[in-house]
Amino acid sequence: MYNVTDPVRHQRGLIRACGDGATVTCTDWIYPTVCDVLCDRTGAGQANGDAQPVPPTTLYGRTIRLHTDLNAMAWATIEAGGAGDEVWLDRSWDGGASWPGGSSLGRTATPAGATSTRTTLFATRDPRGRHYGGAVRACGREAGHQEGSCTAWARPVPSRARAAADALLYSYDPSTAWWPTSWWNSATTLTAVMDSGIREYDWVIARTFDVNRGTFAAGQRGTDPIEGDFVSRSIDDSAWWGLAWVAAYDRTGDQRYLAMATTIATYVHQYWDTRTCGGGVWWNRERTYKNAVTNGQYLRLTASIHRRTPGDAVWLQRARTAADWYLGSGLIGASGLVNDGLTGDCRNNGQTVWTYNQGLGIGGFVEVWRATGDTRYLDTARRLADSAVTSAVLTRNGVLTESCDVGTSSCDDNQKQFKGIFLRYLNDLAKATGSTAYQQFARRQSDSVWSADRDALNRIGQRWAGGSPNQVDWRTQASGLNAVLS
């Protein structure tokens, strides 16, 4: 058996069967035409809308434009010319680095007596070949000269969510079934894909689960060995996968995801320890630190398992105990912001306020409120949210700004995803309360990302308000996806 396409290297292939019985006879090539909602070479009259994602280019008085529609189909036009002028599309599956098999698509000449013409429609996604985020450009040539001119490369924008998600799926490796090379980031990135609500990506859930549920030696998925069932010595890394499989269960109804989430939650619970600070979950197996991330995850995970397990009382009690401990732990500072963790003598350590710790506190208390009906917990979630959205520590001019987004600083691979996690749980609180203030704050993030922190290939960076130095990779993309869902 042979693969037809190579989505890891962003290459499409063609294949046919041949036989030699005195003479060589072959079948037709399979899948030479890319099909999505519509197929290549569909008439331009079937376009669903008309956007122009990049500025046109000009050549000898002619104007060459790239057009895309809501189905991620693309076409090109040439205007203000004459007979013999030509226009075509180039299509690339690797962001414009190369375009083998994608040159001169739909090449069309302006007919006699006309001043303009257009190509047919071509797809920019190939779901059958697992190619997402295809890039296109429009090119043209004036009849009397050989040289041509092309627009910049662009990806279509069917919607904010679809555009950001297509660009994110570009970086997924279907073979190893994760986003190389960050283990916990892949868990929350998978959750962001599910948050998008795009059904065409649901195959990623099972693929990630089936390939990664086993064991991996140190260096294969991270510096630590993965010991099976998505657990490792890093308790917070394990908990991110637990939360991802809760989301997968909600998305699909498949009990194996809830069973896995419960297995992971049981593992995390082993590190709840009342002998130090009266409770709380340790950050790692060596029991060196009690911090906000692990305990925010534990809040959300225990309450989530309870709410999805008929007849449960054990996880409910654990959720109550964890919430009450968190409230009295000192993790929440006087200003309502969550610091990174506790000192060895169980006091707030005053370390950096990160958006994701604030978000996990919000998400954890919202879920405990849903599990218990106790309004104290919802009030706490509101207090954490109100403190965050008005804070000069976490925002600049109303836009979420991590401390590593400021000045000439840069964020590490972990920090790149923090803001998206905050938005995930703020949106959950907005849904629970119907608060227009939270909805408006979330929408402000979406608008800022879309206008100030996105390029023509729909790649989203770290600095949601724009500016430099900026960082762009799949981690910032996943974070940005959560932002544009608002």
Side-chain angles (χ1 to χ4, degrees):
M1 298 178 66
Y2 294 88
N3 289 319
V4 177
T5 65
D6 182 2
V8 177
R9 294 175 177 82
H10 308 292
Q11 297 174 343
R12 292 188 81 247
L14 302 179
I15 195 167
R16 64 181 180 177
C18 299
D20 185 357
T23 60
V24 176
T25 302
C26 298
T27 67
D28 291 335
W29 294 101
I30 67 168
Y31 305 151
T33 297
V34 179
C35 289
D36 188 11
V37 177
L38 300 173
C39 292
D40 286 351
R41 300 177 185 84
T42 297
Q46 294 191 48
N48 181 17
D50 183 354
Q52 296 177 34
V54 290
T57 186
T58 58
L59 180 69
Y60 296 110
R62 279 67 171 163
T63 299
I64 301 158
R65 299 182 190 275
L66 175 65
H67 304 258
T68 62
D69 77 350
L70 296 176
N71 291 326
M73 303 296 288
W75 70 101
T77 60
I78 188 167
E79 305 164 6
D85 293 347
E86 292 182 320
V87 66
W88 64 90
L89 283 173
D90 287 339
R91 177 171 62 196
S92 171
W93 299 107
D94 57 7
S98 64
W99 49 103
S103 302
S104 298
L105 300 178
R107 195 176 190 111
T108 303
T110 303
T115 59
S116 64
T117 192
R118 63 196 300 179
T119 68
T120 53
L121 304 180
F122 287 83
T124 62
R125 295 189 302 249
D126 180 12
R128 184 165 50 197
R130 303 298 193 224
H131 291 291
Y132 300 96
V136 285
R137 66 181 181 179
C139 300
R141 184 185 70 85
E142 187 265 337
H145 298 82
Q146 289 303 310
E147 68 267 28
S149 182
C150 298
T151 67
W153 291 97
R155 288 176 177 140
V157 184
S159 67
R160 291 184 182 185
R162 172 73 79 169
D166 280 348
L168 178 59
L169 263 292
Y170 174 86
S171 299
Y172 181 76
D173 185 334
S175 176
T176 53
W178 68 320
W179 281 265
T181 51
S182 292
W183 179 242
W184 83 262
N185 299 77
S186 288
T188 195
T189 296
L190 176 63
T191 309
V193 172
M194 291 185 278
D195 290 343
S196 76
I198 300 172
R199 285 291 177 191
E200 291 91 326
Y201 299 144
D202 282 357
W203 66 271
V204 176
I205 303 170
R207 180 66 183 166
T208 305
F209 184 87
D210 292 337
V211 172
N212 290 287
R213 65 183 304 179
T215 60
F216 298 90
Q220 291 184 326
R221 288 294 185 271
T223 55
D224 295 326
I226 307 303
E227 300 163 3
D229 293 335
F230 300 90
V231 304
S232 66
R233 60 171 285 279
S234 298
I235 311 307
D236 59 332
D237 287 7
S238 307
W240 284 122
W241 284 105
L243 292 170
W245 300 127
V246 169
Y249 172 72
D250 289 347
R251 180 77 175 160
T252 67
D254 190 329
Q255 285 288 334
R256 66 179 180 154
Y257 299 132
L258 180 59
M260 181 61 74
T262 305
T263 296
I264 295 169
T266 301
Y267 170 73
V268 173
H269 178 70
Q270 295 177 48
Y271 296 91
W272 175 269
D273 187 352
T274 59
R275 294 169 298 179
T276 302
C277 304
V281 177
W282 291 102
W283 176 51
N284 57 17
R285 192 174 288 166
E286 292 76 19
R287 300 175 183 249
T288 60
Y289 187 33
K290 288 191 174 177
N291 63 350
V293 57
T294 316
N295 284 284
Q297 293 169 316
Y298 185 72
L299 281 183
R300 182 80 181 188
L301 194 52
T302 53
S304 295
I305 298 297
H306 162 70
R307 293 186 59 236
R308 293 154 180 82
T309 306
D312 168 73
V314 172
W315 289 107
L316 175 62
Q317 185 56 51
R318 289 172 178 172
R320 284 185 182 275
T321 300
D324 291 341
W325 177 85
Y326 194 113
L327 286 172
S329 68
L331 285 169
I332 305 173
S335 62
L337 299 179
V338 178
N339 292 95
D340 193 70
L342 301 177
T343 61
D345 59 353
C346 303
R347 292 179 292 108
N348 184 306
N349 63 14
Q351 290 184 19
T352 305
V353 174
W354 298 108
T355 56
Y356 83 145
N357 284 333
Q358 199 78 12
L360 280 166
I362 292 167
F365 281 108
V366 167
E367 195 72 350
V368 175
W369 164 72
R370 290 192 180 109
T372 64
D374 190 330
T375 57
R376 288 186 304 134
Y377 303 132
L378 184 61
D379 290 344
T380 300
R382 284 195 179 106
R383 178 163 67 95
L384 294 176
D386 292 344
S387 297
V389 301
T390 59
S391 167
V393 175
L394 295 179
T395 66
R396 300 286 190 281
N397 298 316
V399 178
L400 279 175
T401 305
E402 215 70 70
S403 58
C404 55
D405 293 341
V406 178
T408 59
S409 299
S410 59
C411 299
D412 68 25
D413 284 347
N414 293 325
Q415 296 156 1
K416 289 173 182 175
Q417 264 182 293
F418 288 178
K419 296 196 293 283
I421 293 166
F422 175 88
L423 257 295
R424 173 180 299 145
Y425 294 120
L426 182 72
N427 281 328
D428 190 38
L429 177 62
K431 181 169 62 177
T433 61
S435 167
T436 57
Y438 301 148
Q439 293 168 1
Q440 289 169 358
F441 179 85
R443 185 66 186 184
R444 187 178 303 122
Q445 310 316 300
S446 177
D447 290 344
S448 183
V449 164
W450 203 249
S451 64
D453 193 29
R454 176 183 63 99
D455 68 11
L457 295 177
N458 301 320
R459 295 175 298 198
I460 297 170
Q462 170 64 31
R463 297 189 178 217
W464 288 3
S468 61
N470 207 355
Q471 299 162 280
V472 182
D473 65 12
W474 61 261
R475 301 164 191 83
T476 65
Q477 189 72 27
S479 187
L481 173 58
N482 273 117
V484 302
L485 297 178
S486 303

